[in-house]
Amino acid sequence: MKLSSVLLGALLAVEASCAATPRADDYSQLQDLAKQAEDIAKAQLQAASSKRAPAPPGKCTLQNLQIRREWSTLSKEDRKAYTDACNCLAKKPAKTPAGVSSGAKSRWDDFTATHIAQTPTIHFTGSFLTWHRWFTWNMEQALRNECGYKGPMPYWDWAQTANTGLTKHPLFDGSAYSMSGDGAKVQQTGDIVLSQPSLPDIHLPTANGGGCVTSGPFKDWKVNLGPQQLSVPGGAIVGPPSGNPLDYNPRCLKRDLTDWVNRRYANASSVIDTIRRNSIYEFQGRMQGNLPLAETGGQPDIGIHGGPHYALGGDPGRDVGVSSSDPAFFLHHGMIDRAYWIWQMLDYYPRTYGDNAINGTGTFLNMPPSAPQTLDTVLSQQYVTDQSFKIRDLVSTTAGPFCYIYL
Ligand SMILES: *[C@@H]1O[C@H](CO)[C@@H](O)[C@H](O)[C@H]1NC(C)=O
Ligand SMILES: *[C@@H]1O[C@H](CO)[C@@H](O)[C@H](O)[C@H]1NC(C)=O
Ligand SMILES: [Cu+2]
């Protein structure tokens, strides 16, 4: 308590001194906030260990803390090790019973089947941030424990790709050290149209891809499940051919890397504007693009969560439930989790365990209406893992099962 108020005081002093000096651009503001978050997290771990009590087994310390890093800062070898592990996991047998999902053929598909099945109870709910934090961590653990990957989950910094252009960035340049690049150019006619109750429709342009990914580590990747609700050019929404998104429907990975969408919804200012929101309601609402228009400057928005999903484009990029079948999903959710972590660290206790820690019910936009979720709500990710956790155990990146921060 005492420590955090000292840190908060220091933080406010930093902010005050910033206001007096010329204003840094939004990207460097974002890096400054990340640095503050890092310092606060490390000071907390330092304080916890300075009691000199032997740490209980499994406890997060400065010694075993993992640091998650942005893709382009990894060595080529480390990038290759990551994509090799993804391809390995896509060859391991599924744990999901065929009676639950006949299309789940691999361990990777266990993740997507879980994400599809739970889509109505993990998006626009109280659990959105913690569920996806744990999901991303479960992928990191599967890559490490089942496929020999040694590093932490990398992340996609959309504020960078908004500047460089997606295909110009090492993440999506299509090389052997990327997450593969754009899809082949196919004819796409009409916009992508997104609808939400009580908000105007949003029209997104298409770009220069739309077809199968042609180079890099994932050129032979298979999307086995879905579509569930795939937005296609012209405004239609396409469902599964069999009627069940968990059925087997193998197809290539399609992308339509769309700089316009990345720049419009997930540039550095969008990230800053999200992190500067005070309440969890505004923070996660700004992130998912479901705040009332009065709170988004009169323009409907899809937020820093929706923006990069639709900037990936294609199939499954434009399909909420199946989106985790594009390997880039987990790097996107790494950055979502990084924004959540930075936001939490800037006012740690209230935003982690206190009255600003959770807001929302257990159903998509509260449809159908359901009870508010709390820190005692239990989350499951069967058949990704047999473990289940209370949300309370998933709110800190340095407690519960977790021990990581971001650079
Ligand atoms: C960057 O993000 C801000 C805030 O979301 C938005 O208003 C602005 O239009 C975006 N910039 C571009 C170039 O689209
Ligand atoms: C979330 O916060 C908003 C704004 O404070 C509030 O109106 C709403 O009732 C809260 N939702 C739940 C489920 O508590
Ligand atoms: Cu999701």
Side-chain angles (χ1 to χ4, degrees):
M1 275 287 143
K2 201 162 190 184
L3 176 77
S4 69
S5 55
V6 170
L7 288 165
L8 193 63
L11 191 63
L12 293 173
V14 169
E15 290 199 31
S17 73
C18 276
T21 53
R23 217 180 153 77
D25 71 32
D26 284 342
Y27 192 79
S28 56
Q29 258 195 67
L30 174 59
Q31 295 307 96
D32 287 350
L33 291 178
K35 179 72 184 125
Q36 288 171 25
E38 181 196 352
D39 291 346
I40 295 168
K42 286 187 170 166
Q44 284 178 347
L45 291 172
Q46 187 75 54
S49 70
S50 67
K51 286 180 213 132
R52 289 173 205 281
K59 199 165 173 223
C60 187
T61 65
L62 278 178
Q63 285 66 46
N64 63 7
L65 184 67
Q66 294 256 4
I67 312 285
R68 293 185 175 179
R69 291 169 204 277
E70 190 276 320
W71 183 258
S72 68
T73 67
L74 306 184
S75 69
K76 286 185 171 175
E77 293 70 32
D78 288 350
R79 290 183 223 161
K80 180 80 167 34
Y82 182 78
T83 57
D84 281 352
C86 293
N87 277 313
C88 157
L89 207 65
K91 291 190 179 70
K92 299 272 181 195
K95 293 184 180 171
T96 309
V100 172
S101 170
S102 65
K105 301 293 186 192
S106 73
R107 271 300 275 152
W108 196 281
D109 295 340
D110 288 338
F111 285 77
T112 300
T114 301
H115 192 256
I116 290 173
Q118 295 195 35
T119 274
T121 56
I122 58 171
H123 301 110
F124 303 105
T125 58
S127 59
F128 168 73
L129 290 164
T130 43
W131 195 95
H132 287 81
R133 165 174 287 173
W134 183 36
F135 193 58
T136 303
W137 182 84
N138 278 326
M139 174 54 74
E140 177 189 87
Q141 296 305 301
L143 295 171
R144 291 169 63 93
N145 301 334
E146 300 173 46
C147 283
Y149 176 60
K150 299 280 192 292
M153 178 62 69
Y155 67 88
W156 164 14
D157 184 348
W158 341 284
Q160 279 189 22
T161 55
N163 284 337
T164 61
L166 289 156
T167 59
K168 303 265 170 21
H169 192 276
L171 184 56
F172 292 122
D173 66 10
S175 76
Y177 306 103
S178 69
M179 290 292 291
S180 281
D182 206 358
K185 185 172 176 59
V186 298
Q187 166 114 32
Q188 304 183 93
T189 309
D191 290 342
I192 302 296
V193 183
L194 307 177
S195 305
Q196 247 193 55
S198 40
L199 289 173
D201 284 353
I202 293 185
H203 285 247
L204 303 177
T206 59
N208 298 319
C212 302
V213 160
T214 55
S215 70
F218 303 122
K219 71 175 164 41
D220 300 318
W221 189 258
K222 281 282 170 288
V223 176
N224 289 332
L225 298 159
Q228 186 171 31
Q229 289 194 307
L230 177 66
S231 294
V232 297
I237 307 229
V238 175
S242 71
N244 181 351
L246 297 172
D247 282 350
Y248 190 43
N249 180 27
R251 56 203 191 279
C252 69
L253 171 63
K254 291 183 182 162
R255 285 198 187 135
D256 186 29
L257 297 178
T258 311
D259 285 324
W260 189 92
V261 176
N262 185 168
R263 289 193 176 123
R264 170 67 185 79
Y265 296 107
N267 63 53
S269 318
S270 334
V271 185
I272 289 289
D273 185 51
T274 308
I275 291 175
R276 294 285 190 202
R277 303 277 169 156
N278 284 321
S279 70
I280 178 79
Y281 161 79
E282 285 178 280
F283 171 73
Q284 69 185 15
R286 174 69 176 83
M287 173 180 270
Q288 295 171 98
N290 64 320
L291 289 179
L293 289 185
E295 293 176 54
T296 53
Q299 294 296 316
D301 205 304
I302 54 179
I304 58 174
H305 174 243
H309 273 303
Y310 288 99
L312 278 175
D315 171 21
R318 292 170 180 146
D319 188 324
V320 176
V322 191
S323 54
S324 57
S325 203
D326 184 326
F329 173 99
F330 293 92
L331 280 73
H332 169 43
H333 270 281
M335 180 71 177
I336 288 289
D337 187 53
R338 178 173 180 253
Y340 175 33
W341 169 75
I342 295 171
W343 180 81
Q344 288 185 301
M345 297 317 290
L346 297 178
D347 191 13
Y348 181 72
Y349 190 84
R351 294 177 180 182
T352 307
Y353 299 107
D355 58 9
N356 218 359
I358 184 166
N359 171 263
T361 70
T363 42
F364 198 103
L365 296 170
N366 197 32
M367 296 185 303
S370 63
Q373 293 183 312
T374 70
L375 293 179
D376 289 315
T377 299
V378 176
L379 304 184
S380 135
Q381 290 181 0
Q382 210 178 21
Y383 293 86
V384 164
T385 173
D386 294 333
Q387 286 185 299
S388 55
F389 284 102
K390 287 185 175 173
I391 289 179
R392 181 185 310 285
D393 297 320
L394 306 173
V395 284
S396 166
T397 68
T398 54
F402 307 132
C403 188
Y404 67 85
I405 62 169
Y406 290 88
L407 268 197

